[in-house]
Amino acid sequence: MAAEIQPKPLTRKPILLQRVEGSQEVVNMAVIVPKEEGVISVSEDRTVRVWLKRDSGQYWPSIYHAMPSPCSCMSFNPETRRLSIGLDNGTISEFILSEDYNKMTPVKNYQGGVTALCWDPVQRMLFSGSSDHSVIMWDIGGRKGTAIELQGHNDKVQSLSYAQHTRQLISCGGDGGIVVWNMDVERQETPEWLDSDSCQKCDQPFFWNFKQMWDSKKIGLRQHHCRKCGKAVCGKCSSKRSSIPLMGFEFEVRVCDSCHEAITDEERAPTATFHDSKHNIVHVHFDETRGWLLTSGTDKVIKLWDMTPVVS
């Protein structure tokens, strides 16, 4: 009897659709343009490129824009076609892409030592992580120009992710901290620091105010600022510390004595939770459908976390 011929098992593997080449340095980030046969990329070679598929089947740049510094990260909102780019020199540059993706128009620049970006498409907020340990929430959609600072790390913020369904921001830093911020609260913009030649509480001169020191026969004092009201104060009039979570200060910061008395226990209630990853985090990815968080660290370890107990 003839041997039965067995069919060869099918080999399933990914199909390479296209190679997009042309960048002179490492491509730090790229995204597929929804509903278009196109790709947006930012690179160490300082370029922003929008690649569109031509009739020949090849992808060629419809936009080639040189930035003043290498591009480290980006965030793209396809609904508004707003492109936010983080640069190595600490700038966030914003552009609006035309409907045919053949032109990009500058909108605004921000400063802040940018290390990470993410976007809230519903509230239209842009979040940026910074090398100065802070997270900034930029009001893009409301167009109020507000920028709210969140302080919860002891080292530079390495990566950000946003849980849209619960309105929680996850930030991870070089300090190994995973901070989960409640963004479903009415936050307050920190006041600008006021300029003064003397303490705005007791009128003692600061050390550069030679005239008042001479007139009052008093030694000048060092200037500080209250993080709650922004007034210029001396050390004696700002001897207290307090957290102000609604202003983004989860850690205790300097406040003047009168503001310290006015801050209630309710206003000191934390709006973030803190968790130690036990490694210096370089990058995070959040799977919102399962509530899983992936962290990778300088220790060459990848960790998977179930975040459902805290992101809910």
Side-chain angles (χ1 to χ4, degrees):
M1 183 177 177
E4 185 178 351
I5 300 175
Q6 297 291 335
K8 292 183 178 179
L10 295 175
T11 302
R12 302 176 68 89
K13 60 182 181 180
I15 301 170
L16 178 63
L17 297 175
Q18 191 64 255
R19 291 170 61 94
V20 181
E21 298 179 286
S23 298
Q24 303 301 311
E25 297 288 346
V26 174
V27 175
N28 282 329
M29 197 167 180
V31 296
I32 299 170
V33 180
K35 302 177 183 179
E36 296 281 345
E37 290 195 90
V39 172
I40 304 172
S41 67
V42 296
S43 172
E44 284 284 333
D45 64 10
R46 301 190 297 114
T47 63
V48 181
R49 307 186 197 208
V50 178
W51 310 80
L52 295 182
K53 192 174 184 180
R54 306 302 183 183
D55 293 338
S56 63
Q58 298 296 313
Y59 282 76
W60 291 95
S62 62
I63 293 176
Y64 178 102
H65 185 84
M67 302 297 292
S69 180
C71 308
S72 55
C73 54
M74 73 170 170
S75 176
F76 178 61
N77 179 6
E79 293 180 2
T80 61
R81 300 186 309 282
R82 183 182 291 265
L83 178 65
S84 304
I85 303 166
L87 305 179
D88 281 359
N89 66 2
T91 302
I92 302 173
S93 295
E94 286 196 340
F95 301 87
I96 298 293
L97 301 185
S98 62
E99 291 189 18
D100 59 4
Y101 292 94
N102 282 302
K103 183 181 179 182
M104 54 192 289
T105 305
V107 179
K108 198 171 183 179
N109 288 335
Y110 309 94
Q111 293 292 328
V114 181
T115 52
L117 290 173
C118 76
W119 174 252
D120 174 0
V122 176
Q123 302 298 320
R124 297 179 67 187
M125 294 284 186
L126 178 69
F127 301 101
S128 66
S130 173
S131 56
D132 66 3
H133 313 174
S134 66
V135 176
I136 306 292
M137 180 175 71
W138 308 92
D139 179 14
I140 305 298
R143 298 183 180 178
K144 298 175 183 177
T146 56
I148 295 175
E149 186 174 351
L150 307 176
Q151 292 282 357
H153 287 279
N154 293 309
D155 203 338
K156 67 179 178 179
V157 178
Q158 294 280 40
S159 194
L160 297 170
S161 191
Y162 187 69
Q164 183 177 325
H165 68 296
T166 60
R167 290 203 63 196
Q168 288 172 288
L169 177 70
I170 303 170
S171 63
C172 297
D175 56 1
I178 301 174
V179 184
V180 180
W181 306 86
N182 178 12
M183 304 310 298
D184 199 24
V185 294
E186 191 68 32
R187 294 189 176 273
Q188 304 167 18
E189 191 173 16
T190 53
E192 291 187 15
W193 286 2
L194 302 177
D195 293 325
S196 179
D197 291 329
S198 59
C199 175
Q200 293 181 299
K201 294 294 182 179
C202 69
D203 202 37
Q204 284 269 49
F206 293 133
F207 62 82
W208 60 81
N209 189 350
F210 299 110
K211 184 179 185 305
Q212 189 175 343
M213 282 193 291
W214 176 264
D215 293 344
S216 63
K217 301 298 188 288
K218 293 178 179 178
I219 298 175
L221 304 176
R222 183 181 175 188
Q223 183 192 61
H224 301 282
H225 283 92
C226 172
R227 301 311 193 268
K228 182 78 165 64
C229 66
K231 288 183 177 179
V233 290
C234 66
K236 184 179 178 181
C237 294
S238 59
S239 59
K240 305 289 177 54
R241 300 287 188 277
S242 176
S243 61
I244 321 173
L246 292 180
M247 282 187 166
F249 299 114
E250 294 288 336
F251 302 151
E252 290 191 344
V253 291
R254 181 186 294 273
V255 293
C256 67
D257 292 353
S258 56
C259 281
H260 187 271
E261 293 176 6
I263 299 173
T264 65
D265 290 340
E266 189 176 83
E267 289 176 311
R268 291 189 176 94
T271 62
T273 58
F274 298 82
H275 315 277
D276 188 3
S277 70
K278 305 289 185 189
H279 66 166
N280 295 332
I281 296 173
V282 175
H283 180 70
V284 300
H285 176 76
F286 183 61
D287 182 346
E288 195 166 358
T289 58
R290 288 183 286 185
W292 287 10
L293 183 75
L294 177 150
T295 63
S296 59
T298 55
D299 55 5
K300 304 176 185 177
V301 175
I302 297 172
K303 296 183 179 182
L304 287 170
W305 310 81
D306 180 3
M307 298 296 288
T308 53
V310 290
V311 179
S312 61

